Amino acid sequence: MMPGVCLVSVVDDDESVREALPDLIKLFGFDVRAFSSATEFLASKSVADTGCLVLDVAMPGMSGPDLQEELVRIGISIPIIFITAHKDENERLALIKSGAVACLFKPFSAAVLRETLDQVFKSGKSGDAAL
């Protein structure tokens, strides 16, 4: 397995995504935990162990970008792969400019997700991975 922390945390308010995506990520060989909201993730013990965050952009309450800002505010650096059903290239570029590793439009292929996760963990959490 790759060196470093290989826990992937998935934060998405859509139950079908929280069920399917962790199963796929486990097939790639990563440990995975799923959360239904940003606040649930922040309250968990997984924050300190997470090597990559797969984060939905649009969620009720604290959005994905809000969680990204909160992590920065409290001094926690976790590479983030945003996922969104809203196919807006300007939004995608803004998220990457704000520090996200990638922003994948739903539905995305297993191969693209695998490649992106591999880049995150091979880059040593530098946040420099790109699609």
Side-chain angles (χ1 to χ4, degrees), residues 10-108:
V10 174
V11 182
D12 198 309
D13 61 310
D14 183 330
E15 186 177 353
S16 63
V17 173
R18 284 195 317 276
E19 290 176 359
L21 204 50
D23 289 345
L24 178 62
I25 293 169
K26 284 177 189 171
L27 289 175
F28 299 156
F30 297 101
D31 290 331
V32 64
R33 294 197 183 103
F35 302 90
S36 62
S37 70
T39 52
E40 181 186 357
F41 172 71
L42 283 171
S44 76
K45 294 179 180 171
S46 295
V47 174
D49 298 329
T50 297
C52 183
L53 190 55
V54 177
L55 181 57
D56 190 20
V57 172
M59 295 183 289
M62 184 182 283
S63 71
D66 290 343
L67 174 57
Q68 181 185 35
E69 288 176 19
E70 179 62 12
L71 290 170
V72 168
R73 188 187 72 74
I74 61 178
I76 296 174
S77 177
I78 302 172
I80 296 173
I81 300 170
F82 279 108
I83 56 176
T84 182
H86 186 64
K87 292 180 174 58
D88 181 337
E89 188 62 24
N90 290 329
E91 179 183 49
R92 186 185 79 79
L93 292 172
L95 290 168
I96 291 171
K97 189 174 182 179
S98 70
V101 172
C103 180
L104 307 180
F105 295 132
K106 298 176 186 175
F108 46 83

